[in-house]
Amino acid sequence: MTKRIPLAAGALALALTSVAAAPAAPVAASASPALVTCVGSTTVSFSPGLTDTEQTVSVSGQDTADLCVSLTHPQLTGFVAPFSGTATQSCTSLFAGGSGTETLHWSDGTTSTWQYTNSFSNVNGTKVGTSTGPITSGTLAGADVTQTITFPNFDLAACSTPQGLTGLSGLDTWTLTRP
């Protein structure tokens, strides 16, 4: 179910390499340069599948950062962040927003735990979620995280089937900055 988009990862690496090679411009005092920037994917599974009727479901999945770039923390090249829990959901309340805690398991063996609040919007038929919050412990404690998830057009007709909508996947970008 995980979508891999190597072209997007390569484009980000090329863009960041080009920026790093360019002469440095003065940075405004209020600007917070990124500590780490990542691209990756999110997969989510629902059991039982979501229908148009609210019910308690088990939610599980994983955020995966396939490519992370950092001038200050070059050892942080990627992470996985599995998640699970229960929620009262339906296809009509799926993107109502929420909050929680998630632990990023970095490629160098360290972890970062962050507290997030998320919200969703519709952009030309695509659901776009934004999660923001601080890293409360571990690597980069005190940094601010912004995760943007794009769920491309997916088949909500599954909500009307007996099995319901059992999962979805999307593409992510992550930016970690100092406040």
Side-chain angles (χ1 to χ4, degrees):
M1 184 182 263
T2 300
K3 265 189 177 173
R4 301 245 183 239
I5 307 293
L7 181 59
L12 175 64
L14 179 61
L16 290 174
T17 302
S18 299
V19 169
V27 176
S30 63
S32 294
L35 295 171
V36 182
T37 302
C38 303
V39 294
S41 60
T42 294
T43 58
V44 185
S45 298
F46 306 101
S47 179
L50 300 181
T51 64
D52 290 327
T53 303
E54 271 199 357
Q55 61 184 326
T56 300
V57 296
S58 294
V59 180
S60 61
Q62 182 166 287
D63 288 321
T64 302
D66 300 315
L67 173 67
C68 296
V69 178
S70 174
L71 296 176
T72 57
H73 298 80
Q75 74 281 10
L76 302 178
T77 59
F79 65 79
V80 295
F83 55 85
S84 63
T86 59
T88 302
Q89 290 279 312
S90 70
C91 285
T92 55
S93 67
L94 176 60
F95 294 107
S99 61
T101 301
E102 183 177 41
T103 300
L104 311 179
H105 299 268
W106 291 101
S107 55
D108 71 345
T110 63
T111 61
S112 299
T113 300
W114 72 302
Q115 294 180 338
Y116 64 87
T117 301
N118 57 27
S119 61
F120 291 89
S121 60
N122 248 339
V123 179
N124 299 323
T126 298
K127 289 289 185 181
V128 177
T130 302
S131 301
T132 57
I135 294 179
T136 56
S137 65
T139 299
L140 300 174
D144 289 326
V145 179
T146 300
Q147 175 194 23
T148 302
I149 310 168
T150 302
F151 292 106
N153 296 330
F154 54 91
D155 184 16
L156 284 179
C159 298
S160 302
T161 66
Q163 82 175 31
L165 178 67
T166 58
L168 50 95
S169 61
L171 303 175
D172 295 346
T173 60
W174 296 75
T175 305
L176 288 74
T177 58
R178 282 281 176 218

